[in-house]
Amino acid sequence: METDINIVFLHHSTGSYIWNGINRTILVKIADRVSPWLFEFITGGPRVPSLMRQYNEKNHTRYSFTEMEFPKKSPYGWNNYPYDYYNIWVKNGGPTPYMEEPTLEMLTQQYQVIVFKHCYPSSNIVENQDSADIHSEIKTLANYKLQYNALKRKMHEFPNTKFIVSTGAVQVKYYLPQDQALRAKEFHNWVINEWNEQGDNIFIWDLYELQTEGELYFKDEWALTPYNSHPGGKFSEKASQLFFNRVLDIVEHNGENTALTGQGLK
């Protein structure tokens, strides 16, 4: 079907929980073990594309919302931190794939809206080294800021594309040392208050705020367990709706009607 807007969500495992938005009750878990057909029959399938289908039917729009594992496990490797987006899109950008991963030159030919996020190990931010290095995989605040500034300059090269950046997923307290949690919060605040610019083609969805509710860690009651930093069912349901709200508002109103978390302002 011909579409008006093509949207893609680039993510890994935490993103899948949000994309699916399913509270895995006992019935859902049994259905998942029995057959994919029964699982989809009971749950209705992944929630975000379901919400988009409902919206299209009600409003006579033709928006396509798809997901993509980025980057793949092979050959690039299962890493989607600031360095990796910088490495694929900036350092090795161009009209051809880098290690089989699409560059922005390629993605912007197919999608008018590109949403991307990092997995929760991005919150393992260590102390700054002697000097910042944009080409370094070491997770420091200084390196992250250099990589994010380079990514912003690159995204500004595609003014007809809207980019939505999810703030970094964070971990439960059990797995995240306090000093690293404090740096993750500092990076989040920098992204929101300094890196983010009004009036450009880059927008924010604030997953970090939803996870922490103003504190340092992914709240245990929202996580899969206090020892697993993936989203639990109730959080996944809540976050998927807010994620959809925010993306749709950015598509249609440049995000003017929602807070960064996706809650409505009106």
Side-chain angles (χ1 to χ4, degrees):
M1 183 181 72
E2 184 179 352
T3 59
D4 297 319
I5 298 289
N6 291 312
I7 310 163
V8 65
F9 179 33
L10 311 178
H11 67 87
H12 282 171
S13 58
T14 296
S16 292
Y17 282 82
I18 294 166
W19 180 260
N20 290 321
I22 295 170
N23 188 355
R24 293 180 66 85
T25 62
I26 293 176
L27 179 61
V28 169
K29 291 178 182 178
I30 292 172
D32 193 19
R33 287 195 292 266
V34 171
S35 77
W37 176 87
L38 184 60
F39 178 80
E40 185 162 345
F41 177 78
I42 289 175
T43 63
R47 190 168 186 217
V48 170
S50 176
L51 289 170
M52 184 58 80
R53 286 193 298 272
Q54 294 171 31
Y55 185 86
N56 282 334
E57 291 172 3
K58 181 178 179 180
N59 295 278
H60 307 290
T61 48
R62 297 181 298 181
Y63 301 151
S64 169
F65 202 166
T66 58
E67 61 170 338
M68 181 188 301
E69 287 187 346
F70 186 90
K72 299 181 294 296
K73 291 181 180 178
S74 179
Y76 184 87
W78 199 244
N79 300 302
N80 67 352
Y81 310 121
Y83 166 79
D84 302 291
Y85 283 102
Y86 160 77
N87 189 36
I88 297 169
W89 287 351
V90 182
K91 185 178 179 180
N92 294 287
T96 57
Y98 175 68
M99 297 185 71
E100 300 184 13
E101 299 300 335
T103 62
L104 281 188
E105 285 80 3
M106 299 170 63
L107 289 167
T108 54
Q109 293 297 309
Q110 186 173 357
Y111 301 103
Q112 291 78 49
V113 182
I114 297 172
V115 189
F116 67 95
K117 67 172 292 298
H118 312 297
C119 279
Y120 56 71
S122 65
S123 60
N124 291 122
I125 304 176
V126 300
E127 190 175 357
N128 282 335
Q129 309 295 296
D130 291 337
S131 60
D133 181 0
I134 195 170
H135 304 299
S136 174
E137 296 183 58
I138 299 174
K139 299 183 180 82
T140 69
L141 281 170
N143 291 347
Y144 274 14
K145 289 179 180 181
L146 287 178
Q147 290 153 1
Y148 254 54
N149 282 331
L151 281 166
K152 180 164 67 172
R153 290 191 295 271
K154 185 70 175 182
M155 289 185 282
H156 283 168
E157 294 178 12
F158 305 93
N160 295 324
T161 302
K162 290 182 177 181
F163 295 92
I164 304 174
V165 182
S166 168
T167 53
V170 71
Q171 298 178 68
V172 293
K173 185 175 183 178
Y174 183 83
Y175 286 111
L176 191 60
Q178 186 180 44
D179 64 321
Q180 295 185 10
L182 287 167
R183 294 187 195 103
K185 187 176 184 69
E186 183 179 344
F187 182 64
H188 165 266
N189 292 342
W190 177 81
V191 168
I192 295 296
N193 299 315
E194 297 184 45
W195 182 81
N196 186 35
E197 295 181 12
Q198 298 298 314
D200 68 357
N201 62 328
I202 304 171
F203 304 86
I204 300 292
W205 178 55
D206 200 352
L207 171 63
Y208 178 96
E209 175 63 26
L210 292 173
Q211 289 187 307
T212 63
E213 296 180 348
E215 299 181 8
L216 280 179
Y217 307 98
F218 189 13
K219 297 177 77 68
D220 286 351
E221 59 265 35
W222 285 129
L224 199 61
T225 77
Y227 312 103
N228 189 323
S229 297
H230 288 102
K234 290 183 179 179
F235 183 86
S236 298
E237 284 185 319
K238 173 185 176 181
S240 65
Q241 181 67 64
L242 293 173
F243 173 63
F244 176 79
N245 293 350
R246 182 65 177 158
V247 172
L248 185 65
D249 184 40
I250 289 167
V251 168
E252 296 192 333
H253 306 291
N254 287 325
E256 294 177 358
N257 296 329
T258 51
L260 299 185
T261 53
Q263 279 115 344
L265 295 177
K266 296 181 180 179

